Amino acid sequence: MSSPFSPKSGAILLLIASLAGLAVALYAYFTPLTGVTGTLGALVAIVACIALAVLALLLATVKRRGTSIALRILILIGLGGTFFAAMLLHQWWIGVAMVVGLIGLVLDLFRPARHARLTHS
């Protein structure tokens, strides 16, 4: 059964979501009267979104199964932590971006295998 998505569509969606979260976090950190201007929490959300973007790029390029599993676990932890931080900061759009990133991670879980294994009978 073939997938209607490209093998990297989940990682691309995750990258777009993390960059959208980064944009919202940067806006909240630098714009006056957002309630979190210049706070450590908003700065942590910025760093977390940058880390998620880097991990998404790595996930799109990795070929080994063990490495991709480790990256997916790290990304899941990062998405959950950033979502929690966004909720504490009352930055709902960052939370929405992290949910979209989770959808991208789930899509990446179901991507077609890059190399078909040969079976011996």
Side-chain angles (χ1 to χ4, degrees):
M1 182 167 114
S2 66
S3 174
F5 303 107
S6 74
K8 296 180 184 180
S9 61
I12 291 170
L13 182 61
L14 179 61
L15 176 66
I16 292 169
S18 60
L19 291 177
L22 175 64
V24 174
L26 284 170
Y27 175 81
Y29 185 76
F30 288 114
T31 304
L33 300 175
T34 58
V36 294
T37 305
T39 61
L40 182 62
L43 188 61
V44 168
I46 291 169
V47 172
C49 287
I50 291 171
L52 283 170
V54 170
L55 289 172
L57 287 173
L58 288 173
L59 186 62
T61 60
V62 73
K63 293 184 172 128
R64 295 179 56 199
R65 185 172 183 216
T67 308
S68 66
I69 291 171
L71 284 174
R72 287 175 183 147
I73 291 171
L74 288 174
I75 289 169
L76 184 62
I77 292 169
L79 286 171
T82 308
F83 178 83
F84 183 69
M87 294 301 103
L88 290 176
L89 294 169
H90 297 279
Q91 296 297 315
W92 313 115
W93 288 111
I94 299 174
V96 169
M98 295 305 106
V99 170
V100 171
L102 181 63
I103 293 168
L105 184 63
V106 169
L107 283 176
D108 187 72
L109 284 172
F110 296 113
R111 72 178 175 190
R114 294 178 193 245
H115 300 289
R117 292 185 177 220
L118 297 174
T119 57
H120 299 287
S121 45

